[in-house]
Amino acid sequence: MGALKMGTKLALLACSCFLVAATCAEVRADLSQSQARKALTRVAGFELKSNAVRVKSVSTNGSSASVTADIRTAFRFQADKEGRWRVADVRTGQDSWEDISLIAAALGGTIDSSGCNAPDPPLKGKSATNPSVKRARCLLGNLFGIDVPSDAVRIQEVTLSPIPLATEPSALVVAWVRVDVQLLNDKSGWHAVQLRTGNRDWVKLENVVAGVNQRKQERARADMAVMATALEKFHKERGSYVVSDSHAIAIDFLNPRYLAQIIRVDPWRRPYKYQGDQNTFTLRSLGPDGKAATPDDIELTQSAR
């Protein structure tokens, strides 16, 4: 009987230890605010500083979590010839920008900024159409599906770019934008999988990144086609392609006689690669991963006919 009781106690103790360990593991799996902040600094290709993410709330459910946070980044605004402003680019990291139109296209939508371009009374002239805090808030609210005024869009700074001869007036806008993010915890740790802003639907971030890269690949191929046409014109007149292993040198030879526009960087803002001899040339983009000789490289090779 004593042995039976001792066995029962040991079994109960083992069960208790197992339950405690399981409970502790579940607690450890909960997403902390610092973990959420770290995950959001690397969301969808962004590289933000820790102080650019303010976590408002965290709700964990097993290996998934919902996070609401305010994220600070910069936006580049541009005006057309009629003085209508639009959000052109978003800063994704130090000296790194993403074209807003590419993101919108990847999401299958368009951006309508017409409702934010009325003059601001009582100001007159250019001052009435410049990107004031009010206009910047309207444009960003429209972009993210947020009804403004709202704490979900807060403008920190609006600075007109001092480029007097620029073809398109521009401005730098630093703002805080509230986002809802769903995170998943797997072998690689916590990472964002879906995002929502304002009254927009949830979007899968991997689909957005893939869609943006697809459109960048299309742009890269279009760039290469333009440069290839210029090189063919050069060969027809000179009897040789540009002989060089430098894309910058090739462009200098082609522009402006054979190539009206200067194309130095690909849609990922990295320099194109060029290798040319008298009768053959190769143009290359390193693609999304930025590494040479990988499957996502984009290449065009032509030989003299």
Side-chain angles (χ1 to χ4, degrees), residues 54-132:
R54 294 176 179 172
V55 176
K56 309 294 288 185
S57 66
V58 177
S59 175
T60 308
N61 182 13
S63 61
S64 63
S66 298
V67 178
T68 298
D70 290 344
I71 292 179
R72 180 188 65 202
T73 190
F75 300 86
R76 185 181 289 126
F77 285 23
Q78 285 187 337
D80 60 19
K81 294 179 180 178
E82 283 71 38
R84 295 177 299 223
W85 288 90
R86 64 184 177 89
V87 186
D89 303 284
V90 56
R91 187 167 62 195
T92 57
Q94 184 68 30
D95 300 324
S96 179
W97 296 81
E98 192 63 89
D99 187 334
I100 288 291
S101 64
L102 281 179
I103 299 175
L107 292 172
T110 57
I111 303 171
D112 180 13
S113 58
S114 58
C116 300
N117 275 291
D120 287 334
L123 300 174
K124 297 180 180 180
K126 287 187 176 181
S127 297
T129 56
N130 278 341
S132 60

Side-chain angles (χ1 to χ4, degrees):
M1 179 67 74
L4 180 60
K5 289 183 177 179
M6 180 60 70
T8 303
K9 289 181 178 179
L10 289 173
L12 290 172
L13 179 61
C15 288
S16 298
C17 290
F18 175 79
L19 290 172
V20 170
T23 301
C24 290
E26 185 177 350
V27 170
R28 285 195 298 270
D30 284 350
L31 179 68
S32 67
Q33 285 208 355
S34 61
Q35 288 174 313
R37 185 180 303 108
K38 182 177 180 181
L40 293 187
T41 60
R42 295 293 183 269
V43 62
F46 278 70
E47 295 183 5
L48 303 173
K49 294 182 178 179
S50 180
N51 62 6
V53 178
R54 294 176 179 172
V55 176
K56 309 294 288 185
S57 66
V58 177
S59 175
T60 308
N61 182 13
S63 61
S64 63
S66 298
V67 178
T68 298
D70 290 344
I71 292 179
R72 180 188 65 202
T73 190
F75 300 86
R76 185 181 289 126
F77 285 23
Q78 285 187 337
D80 60 19
K81 294 179 180 178
E82 283 71 38
R84 295 177 299 223
W85 288 90
R86 64 184 177 89
V87 186
D89 303 284
V90 56
R91 187 167 62 195
T92 57
Q94 184 68 30
D95 300 324
S96 179
W97 296 81
E98 192 63 89
D99 187 334
I100 288 291
S101 64
L102 281 179
I103 299 175
L107 292 172
T110 57
I111 303 171
D112 180 13
S113 58
S114 58
C116 300
N117 275 291
D120 287 334
L123 300 174
K124 297 180 180 180
K126 287 187 176 181
S127 297
T129 56
N130 278 341
S132 60
V133 168
K134 178 183 177 182
R135 192 182 311 283
R137 187 187 299 117
C138 179
L139 287 167
L140 290 178
N142 183 68
L143 176 65
F144 290 106
I146 299 170
D147 294 329
V148 294
S150 167
D151 287 341
V153 175
R154 290 178 290 116
I155 307 301
Q156 178 174 312
E157 177 185 345
V158 178
T159 306
L160 281 170
S161 298
I163 308 177
L165 299 179
T167 56
E168 290 185 327
S170 63
L172 181 71
V173 176
V174 179
W176 289 89
V177 178
R178 185 157 302 167
V179 299
D180 295 317
V181 186
Q182 292 182 352
L183 287 86
L184 184 66
N185 190 13
D186 56 21
K187 294 180 180 179
S188 61
W190 289 98
H191 59 96
V193 291
Q194 292 195 96
L195 181 142
R196 179 179 65 185
T197 61
N199 57 23
R200 304 289 189 218
D201 293 331
W202 285 98
V203 295
K204 291 185 177 180
L205 293 173
E206 64 177 358
N207 292 347
V208 176
V209 173
V212 169
N213 281 328
Q214 178 183 344
R215 283 156 181 81
K216 287 184 176 182
Q217 289 166 346
E218 293 168 359
R219 283 192 180 182
R221 292 188 183 96
D223 283 350
M224 289 180 180
V226 171
M227 289 185 283
T229 299
L231 284 161
E232 291 296 345
K233 292 178 180 177
F234 184 92
H235 186 278
K236 185 176 181 180
E237 285 194 11
R238 305 283 188 95
S240 168
Y241 294 122
V242 178
V243 180
S244 176
D245 59 359
S246 167
H247 180 75
I249 290 175
I251 292 298
D252 288 342
F253 271 99
L254 296 174
N255 177 265
R257 180 176 176 83
Y258 308 98
L259 183 66
Q261 60 189 116
I262 297 176
I263 306 174
R264 297 197 185 278
V265 296
D266 66 14
W268 293 273
R269 312 293 172 95
R270 305 187 192 103
Y272 279 106
K273 305 297 181 181
Y274 174 82
Q275 182 71 48
D277 57 31
Q278 287 189 339
N279 295 307
T280 305
F281 70 85
T282 297
L283 291 162
R284 180 181 292 108
S285 164
L286 300 182
D289 68 3
K291 299 177 182 178
T294 56
D296 67 358
D297 287 7
I298 304 163
E299 184 178 301
L300 187 156
T301 299
Q302 285 185 194
S303 298
R305 301 182 180 90

